[in-house]
Amino acid sequence: METSSKTASSESDAALGVDAISKLLESQHGNEPGTSKKVELLFRDLTVKASASSTAQSVKTLPEAIFNTFGPDQVRFVRDWVFPKSSKSKEGQRSLLSGFSGVVKSGEMLFVLGRPGSGCSTFLRTAANRTNLNVSGGLYYGGIPAPEFTKRHRRETIYLPEEDRHIASLTVAETIRFSLRLSIRRDIRSVALIESLVKTVSEMFGLGHVLDSPVGGAFFPGVSGGERKRVSIAEALAAGSSVQCFDNSTRGLDSTTALDFVKALRILTDMGHKTTLATLYQAGEDIYNHFDKVLVIDDGHEVFFGKTTEARAYFENLGFEPIEGQTTAEFLAAVTDPVDRQCRPGSVAAAVRSSADLAAAFKTSAHYAELQTELNDAQQNQVVLDRTKLDSSHNLSFPGQVWECLRREFQLVKNQRQTYYIKWITTIILCLSCGSLYWNISNSAKGAFTRGGILFFALILNGWLQFPELFDTHTNRPVIERQSQLVLYRPSAVALARFLIDIPLIAFQHVLFVLSFYFLTRLQLDASKFFFFYLTLFVSTINFSNLLRMFAYFVTTLDDCFRYGGFSCTVLLLFAGFLIPAKDMKPYFGWIHYINPMYYGFENLFVNEFQGLSIDCRDGKNLIPQVSGSSSNENVICTIPGARPGQVSVSGSDYAAAYGFQWSHRWRNIGIMLGIAIVYLVVGALGSESMRFAQSSGNPTKFVKAKNIFRRRSLDDADVEKQPKKPTSDNASLSPTRPLSHAQEAVLTWRDVTVKLENKTILKGVSGYARRGELTAICGASGAGKTTLLNALSYTTVAGSVEGEIAYNAGSSEGMARKNIGFAQQMDLHDGTATVREALEFSALLRQPKHFSKAEKLSYVAEVIEMLDLRGIENAILGDSDAGLGVEQLKRVTVGVELAARPEILFADEPTSGLDTQGAAHLVHYLQLLARHGQAVIATIHQPSAALFHRFDNLLVLSEGETVYFGDVHGSVPYFEFNGASPRPGSNPAEFILETTGSASLDQDGKRSRPWSEKWSTSTESKALITEIRGKEETVISEKQPDTSDPGEFNASTTLQTWHLTKRLLKNQWRNSPYVYSKIWVHTISAILIGLTFYQLGSSPQDLQNRAFSVYFIVFLCNAIVNVILARFFFARLFWEFREGPSRTYNWVSLCSASIVAEIPAAVLVTVIYFVLWYYLSGLPSHSAGYMFLFLLTYEIFQVLLGLFMMALSPSLGFAGNVLVFIVCTCNWFNGIIVPYDQMQIFWRYWLYYLNPFTYLLGGMIVAVTSGIEVHCSADDITRFNPPDSQTCAQYAGAWAASANARLINPTATTACEVCKWVNGDQYLAEFNLRPEDKWPYWAIFVLFTLTNVGLVYFFTWATKIKRWKLFYFF
């Protein structure tokens, strides 16, 4: 009866699938008959070549990156972009695909088979017209050549890559809904239809229960990996293309779900007349039988193309022999493996030595002759194809695409609202604090400069608040690129949508800012001025945002984004007209202000505020000379710019004009700013369209040393795809020279384990055990709780509460268990710049027990490398999802990293996910070897073949978080048969079990019987299991010996952890050149810019101010440098949280210590570069050089610690970026420079001024370059006034000049007395409450602030990551 129940269930599922797909097709093509598009794919003598440089390479290190800056990079850019054809022709070419021929008709499905690295992905990319490699031969779509088809009908082909890339914060429903809205014709689209299709598609792929869950990502919580893969498939199918190419789209899916996907694909292909190509790893017989044709590839050669029903017989006739239990797909893939294939002696197969031999055999076969006949017939029939049915471009018009992208941007804002909340809160707090600093500022000459500082602050704050936007813009770029490849929209539509969503967000941000800031500072209370102030700020911030995003579309890494974006924004602010008036800009930099939107914005704010304002000079020192007894104003003058002799006040318009600002320029400036913003937007949109950062083929393997490049011939001949390395022998292994265990046998038992998350129970009463020498499999459908169980058993962080009994060695403490357990996680998380050997040695040195010497630990690493056959790639860089080792290689490395720690028990979560049949077999073989050497191994599996299934010793089957079977793997099928299930003859046991436990069971009367979990709980097997578990616990307790091992939580000391982690971080900086290179670049260019801007400063009053501004500029480096540090520490911390913290590799103290120490060498280097270029170009005093270098070095270290402290405090990058803006703005404006000490409000003056580290930074450095300087006024700095009639200048103002310590230049003159208001630099310092004798105390206090940052890094890392304090309500 069980068989009939499954048949009925499958029939109902099939009916549901047909209805769902029919509904999807109708929505895509309408209800009109004959509207389905039929595009036949034909390829003849298809050859794909790549440059020879795409083989194994040496990794590009920091010195190479620096050297390439001085010519090679520029030459390469010109060669690749200006003369692309000539550059390719000069490079050597190697074939990836050679002479492929075949035809796939509409309504047919082609199964592309081959080992990883053979060329499957390259073929699918080429078939989908998604490659930039050199393609030759014939490639036709419905008779249309590929180049023409690409230009006119690009939407008719799609390629779904293996990697799943989505916007992590969007929900599953929002992701699917977005793709459907962009895929369905506007004339039939409606809200009801879209929502109906979302429900239909989600049910089709089993996503109904997670529609409201975030999709998530590597470090972002969301749906499971299998569910994320289904979201990718649903998104691709919603695109509605005629030619569909799926690259390993069942990765991460269990066998039942994978079969359901192929069934849906079959129905979609039949009903929609699609042309479908797919490569699927570990495909069962049922999956294989759903395809019409099969293409077998071996090392870039076509070794078979024909019907799926004929392929097996063809290779058997050649003399290849299948292994018992091997599925057809496994047999076909094994034929291409020189190690695994078996041949009859004396047959054609026995003479095959290479892939070329296999290809030659196929070309002499009858199958190839039939293929040529089919090709000729197809080419003749393709001429009559109706091209009018093909979609010429995107489904929606460009405005329609922008509208849909805008809707998605709104959803992103809503889902990430916490980031915007903190931005708005930051804005309000800064407005209140800094606004109160300028509270009711006077209209006197004393406040004129400070009033300009108010306006500059308003400009700079709102610009800096846009920096955190770079994180999301850069992070989501791969998603946009992938969706544009699906022809859902143009990337420029996203660029425009982001600009449009910025408008209301920035508008609201400025409402908060202006309402609080404008009235607190008591700027002119005039309605027109208020709204013009708002408009100018709004437009200037739009410019900032567009500029930053423009760079994000053009550069490769996040480091580069902040390098160019941060530096450019700093330059714009430097030449905005406040720090350097336009008239004082050097001729070689003067042109910058003409293309600087911030200059026009500052001019607008300046004239808007000063127009109609009268500046009173009778406030003390600004009206000279102050001669007692003189009551006439005719013989005095104000010292501020724009003043006229004989006037005690200066009109605001004259004051503005003195700086080159004109009231009449206001609306012209608005127009120019809008024009520049549009230029930024257009250039950014063009960049989004033209730049491609995702690889059109895999990256080469990279080695740390050139001598290792050609270490193995197999790597030289590797496909551009990521190449696995197969074992040289299925039986090859090296037994460990020392036992993997200590004196006691390690036994893990778990009884009634239950995991609850809020109101949901994830696991319910699961029991089992693990023994040494046994390989245990955990199997179940996606979402059954497999990973959750592994997390619970391995004491890895589990969301929710864990109940039940977990006993390791029947009583070892949790801390002891944690450090003696290895957990190979499903996601292969590694330091991408480490080599294979370095990764294993790092694990061994820090995780192996202390009683092993260093030599023994490293010797064991060599054994692990041999055992896992990693010798050929031991010096290869691990890389990431876009570059480096292949999936199978990384899986072996992941297992090796855990094995190198000598764990008592090894857990492996989906170790075969993403591998082909041979790769999965090899990896399970390695796990079996480990078990046979005494290791206890527990692994979860998704799609095991029959042969793979029987390699395990024990089996735990989970269904919806409950146990349905635990016991010997060979007794599993008989157990289910005994309880009413009937397997089909020759069926895969694993697939049978998954299908059985995933469907309802009926009793002999045809009624629904008890669930399988209930059957298990009442079975004799379950009761025997509990008895056995209790017996094992009692036995181990009775035989337990005293535990003499180190009771500490980690096997290595904190000092040793810090030492090795610091070395790894330094190697990371050396090999991941953009990080340190960005620092060097920013400091070098900034130093040259400032040095030339303030070139060879003199000793005039203006030069004294320029000395101060030259020093002040270093605070602008903070944003560009610290933001990069934030990102680096954020990902390092995530890596520790998800990978190396739970594995007890190193502790949080080591993480903080190593992160600090590893930054010091780069800090010293950039200090030397900046100091040498800036200090001597500016002509600053040589006697203060040592002090300035010391202070600058301290500041560089302070910046590093500030970034680490900000990230330790913050839950996300966006949050940290906003907090950084708050800290930097507060430090910039409360240091007594922009707002002099005596003009600060008393409330701030007596505490925040002294608590501000920049008070001492700027104070000490300005004192060092200014004190003791003898002032000599230039012509522009001299103040002139007329003495009374019949008096000389000395008679009239001599006494005043002596008392005021001013220099009277022409004492004997009777007209136009000339005064230089300062005699030495100490007078300038006094205006800012700075004293020369405080120079060293300033540095000492700043050192204390730097050391305080060190403590804050440790404290907040401990508070947020160890104690889990929730410092901020919204997070």
Side-chain angles (χ1 to χ4, degrees), residues 1188-1201:
M1188 291 294 289
F1189 177 82
L1190 180 63
F1191 220 138
L1192 193 61
L1193 176 60
T1194 309
Y1195 172 64
E1196 291 292 345
I1197 297 173
F1198 175 88
Q1199 283 188 118
V1200 168
L1201 295 170

Side-chain angles (χ1 to χ4, degrees), residues 194-479:
I194 295 294
E195 294 306 314
S196 174
L197 285 173
V198 169
K199 183 178 179 181
T200 298
V201 171
S202 63
E203 289 176 351
M204 186 190 311
F205 294 104
L207 296 169
H209 63 293
V210 293
L211 281 176
D212 295 325
S213 301
V215 177
F219 299 114
F220 193 98
V223 300
S224 68
E227 289 164 339
R228 194 175 301 120
K229 172 61 70 177
R230 282 177 265 167
V231 173
S232 300
I233 295 169
E235 187 178 58
L237 293 181
S241 299
S242 299
V243 180
Q244 308 173 119
C245 299
F246 297 91
D247 193 353
N248 197 15
S249 292
T250 56
R251 176 182 177 181
L253 303 182
D254 61 83
S255 54
T256 303
T257 307
L259 179 58
D260 290 340
F261 159 63
V262 175
K263 287 179 179 178
L265 210 57
R266 177 76 268 176
I267 298 170
L268 183 70
T269 302
D270 291 339
M271 297 182 62
H273 303 288
K274 306 290 185 182
T275 303
T276 303
L277 296 80
T279 179
L280 307 173
Y281 291 160
Q282 302 181 51
E285 200 67 28
D286 288 340
I287 290 178
Y288 179 83
N289 290 334
H290 278 80
F291 287 84
D292 303 291
K293 294 178 178 179
V294 61
L295 167 64
V296 183
I297 304 176
D298 183 13
D299 197 20
H301 291 84
E302 181 183 39
V303 298
F304 182 81
F305 185 97
K307 296 178 180 179
T308 53
T309 55
E310 299 174 353
R312 189 183 189 110
Y314 165 75
F315 285 106
E316 288 179 345
N317 291 335
L318 285 180
F320 293 102
E321 296 181 339
I323 301 173
E324 184 179 356
Q326 220 173 25
T327 66
T328 302
E330 292 170 350
F331 170 60
L332 298 182
V335 164
T336 65
D337 190 336
V339 175
D340 287 345
R341 63 192 178 200
Q342 298 183 2
C343 312
R344 289 195 308 271
S347 65
V348 175
V352 171
R353 294 290 179 267
S354 66
S355 56
D357 294 341
L358 270 177
F362 172 63
K363 290 188 176 180
T364 59
S365 67
H367 291 277
Y368 187 77
E370 291 176 9
L371 174 60
Q372 295 302 311
T373 301
E374 187 180 9
L375 284 170
N376 294 331
D377 294 341
Q379 282 187 310
Q380 293 176 0
N381 297 332
Q382 280 181 334
V383 179
V384 298
L385 177 66
D386 184 3
R387 304 188 186 189
T388 60
K389 291 183 180 180
L390 299 176
D391 288 337
S392 60
S393 60
H394 297 78
N395 199 41
L396 297 183
S397 63
F398 186 74
Q401 297 170 39
V402 173
W403 172 249
E404 294 302 332
C405 292
L406 182 60
R407 292 182 59 167
R408 184 176 68 175
E409 292 298 320
F410 176 77
Q411 290 170 342
L412 279 172
V413 171
K414 182 182 69 174
N415 295 348
Q416 299 174 349
R417 54 190 176 275
Q418 293 92 343
T419 301
Y420 291 94
Y421 289 161
I422 194 62
K423 175 188 279 191
W424 297 333
I425 292 171
T426 300
T427 301
I428 294 173
I429 294 175
L430 279 173
C431 289
L432 294 176
S433 58
C434 295
S436 62
L437 176 67
Y438 294 107
W439 166 254
N440 199 21
I441 195 166
S442 69
N443 292 341
S444 65
K446 186 178 180 181
F449 177 79
T450 306
R451 191 175 292 268
I454 296 175
L455 307 174
F456 188 62
F457 171 81
L459 201 68
I460 197 173
L461 167 65
N462 289 282
W464 276 352
L465 282 171
Q466 303 311 114
F467 269 89
E469 301 293 331
L470 273 177
F471 294 119
D472 277 343
T473 302
H474 183 270
T475 303
N476 293 334
R477 190 173 62 187
V479 181

Side-chain angles (χ1 to χ4, degrees), residues 768-791:
Y769 58 81
R771 292 185 296 212
R772 278 203 156 285
E774 291 185 345
L775 181 58
T776 301
I778 302 177
C779 127
S782 296
K786 302 185 296 295
T787 300
T788 302
L789 177 60
L790 286 191
N791 287 335

